[in-house]
């Protein structure tokens, strides 16, 4: 009888031990689950916070970029003003019109050589100026730069130097003095195009937009004279330039100022 009671006691204690272990296990697992849930909530909160922070940073960055863009624009405008005041770019858009080119020529008092230039396709000063404008715009050269250079080089289309009007060479391309006549071209437009392409070669290393008709284009150090003032070798920082005459480019700029004032 005593033996049975001892066995029963042992089984009861064993059962209580198993029950206790089970309860503890459940409690522990519950704690693990709670911690996992809490961890997940924390991660979600952190993720939301990070996303919010990222959005704020992006917004700030965008605002900063916008401000920087405005600042850059302001600086660019200031730079353009400085260039306009001190150095006249060969390349770029221009407000000068064909009518102004015509008016400027007529203000010289010289007679347009219609008979000679008619043979090359430009029987009137209006046609001549339109060609200059179109060819210059095609190569992104300022029309007034090329046109005024021609007036300077040819003495308002009266010539008298080494080149003759029949060559349709409007800027002394290839003339080196001592009676060297320089280049000749098939017609007025080709001569104008060659001059403008030569100017572009001095101003920039950008490729030509039209087929090259300037036989001397390859000999120019590209981009050595982006400003009209630098076309004179004496004033060019690298000693390059279109002509050796003192203040050659500056005299062209002075003429351009008068052209722009003409109406």
């Amino acid at each position: 009888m005593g033996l049975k009671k001892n066995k029963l006691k042992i089984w009861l204690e064993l059962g209580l031990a198993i029950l206790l272990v089970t309860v503890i296990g459940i409690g522990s697992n519950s704690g693990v689950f709670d911690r996992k849930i809490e961890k997940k909530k924390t991660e979600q909160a952190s993720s939301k916070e990070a996303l919010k922070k990222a959005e704020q940073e992006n917004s700030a960055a965008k605002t900063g970029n916008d401000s920087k863009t405005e600042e850059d624009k302001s600086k660019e405008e200031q730079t353009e003003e400085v260039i306009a005041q001190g150095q006249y770019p060969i390349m770029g858009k221009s407000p000068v019109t064909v009518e102004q080119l015509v008016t400027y020529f007529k203000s010289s008092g010289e007679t347009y050589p219609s008979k000679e230039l008619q043979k090359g396709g430009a029987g009137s000063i209006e046609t001549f100026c339109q060609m200059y404008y179109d060819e210059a715009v095609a190569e992104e050269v300022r029309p007034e730069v090329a046109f005024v250079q021609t007036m300077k080089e040819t003495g308002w289309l009266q010539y008298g130097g080494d080149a003759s009007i029949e060559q349709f060479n409007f800027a002394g391309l290839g003339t080196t003095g001592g009676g060297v006549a320089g280049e000749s071209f098939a017609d007025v437009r080709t001569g104008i195009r060659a001059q403008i392409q030569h100017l572009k070669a001095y101003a920039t290393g950008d490729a030509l937009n039209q087929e090259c008709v300037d036989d001397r284009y390859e000999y120019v150090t590209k981009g050595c004279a982006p400003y009209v003032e630098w076309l004179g070798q004496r004033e060019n920082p690298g000693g390059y330039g279109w002509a050796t005459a003192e203040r050659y480019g500056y005299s062209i700029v002075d003429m351009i100022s008068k052209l722009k004032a003409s109406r």
Side-chain angles (χ1 to χ4, degrees):
M1 187 74 174
L3 182 61
K4 288 182 178 180
K5 286 183 178 180
N6 287 335
K7 287 184 176 179
L8 180 59
K9 183 179 178 180
I10 291 171
W11 280 111
L12 286 172
E13 288 176 351
L14 183 59
L16 287 172
I18 292 172
L19 179 60
L20 181 59
V21 170
T22 302
V23 171
I24 292 172
I26 292 172
S28 298
N29 287 336
S30 177
V32 170
F33 292 147
D34 289 342
R35 285 195 297 274
K36 285 184 177 179
I37 292 172
E38 186 64 28
K39 183 179 180 181
K40 188 173 183 180
K41 288 181 178 179
T42 302
E43 289 176 347
Q44 289 176 341
S46 298
S47 179
K48 288 182 179 179
E49 184 65 26
L51 181 60
K52 183 178 180 181
K53 185 178 180 181
E55 289 176 347
Q56 291 174 343
E57 290 177 350
N58 288 339
S59 178
K62 183 177 180 181
T63 302
N65 287 338
D66 290 343
S67 299
K68 185 176 181 181
T69 299
E70 291 300 323
E71 183 180 350
D72 289 344
K73 287 180 180 179
S74 177
K75 287 181 179 179
E76 289 174 1
E77 290 174 358
Q78 292 174 7
T79 301
E80 289 176 358
E81 289 175 2
V82 171
I83 289 175
Q85 291 172 6
Q87 295 173 314
Y88 204 95
I90 292 174
M91 305 295 294
K93 294 182 179 180
S94 170
V96 171
T97 64
V98 174
E99 289 73 21
Q100 281 181 290
L101 301 182
V102 172
T103 300
Y104 182 61
F105 177 82
K106 290 182 176 179
S107 71
S108 70
E110 298 290 352
T111 300
Y112 179 75
S114 55
K115 180 179 178 181
E116 292 84 352
L117 295 185
Q118 172 66 51
K119 297 175 182 178
S124 68
I125 183 59
E126 289 77 13
T127 300
F128 186 77
C129 291
Q130 187 67 58
M131 285 184 180
Y132 259 95
Y133 186 88
D134 293 342
E135 291 296 326
V137 170
E139 291 294 350
E140 301 172 89
V141 169
R142 295 175 187 268
E144 67 272 20
V145 175
F147 185 78
V148 166
Q149 184 185 37
T150 286
M151 297 304 107
K152 177 178 177 62
E153 289 280 352
T154 65
W156 301 91
L157 299 177
Q158 305 309 302
Y159 284 83
D162 293 330
S164 66
I165 193 169
E166 290 80 15
Q167 293 174 236
F168 305 131
N169 183 345
F170 301 107
L173 292 176
T175 58
T176 56
V180 178
E183 303 290 330
S184 294
F185 301 97
D187 51 41
V188 171
R189 183 176 292 277
T190 303
I192 291 172
R193 182 174 298 181
Q195 175 199 356
I196 288 171
Q197 290 179 341
H198 208 65
L199 274 172
K200 185 172 183 175
Y202 273 96
T204 178
D206 294 348
L208 295 174
N209 297 329
Q210 302 193 91
E211 181 181 356
C212 184
V213 297
D214 172 23
D215 291 337
R216 306 184 67 78
Y217 178 83
E218 62 181 303
Y219 302 123
V220 179
T221 299
K222 306 300 183 293
C224 65
Y227 309 113
V228 178
E229 290 88 343
W230 291 10
L231 289 175
Q233 291 181 13
R234 299 188 186 187
E235 292 76 36
N236 188 287
Y240 300 100
W242 191 292
T244 58
E246 186 175 0
R247 296 186 64 79
Y248 175 81
Y250 284 87
S251 65
I252 291 176
V253 172
D254 289 342
M255 294 173 72
I256 289 174
S257 296
K258 294 175 182 177
L259 182 155
K260 285 187 170 182
S262 64
R263 290 290 186 273

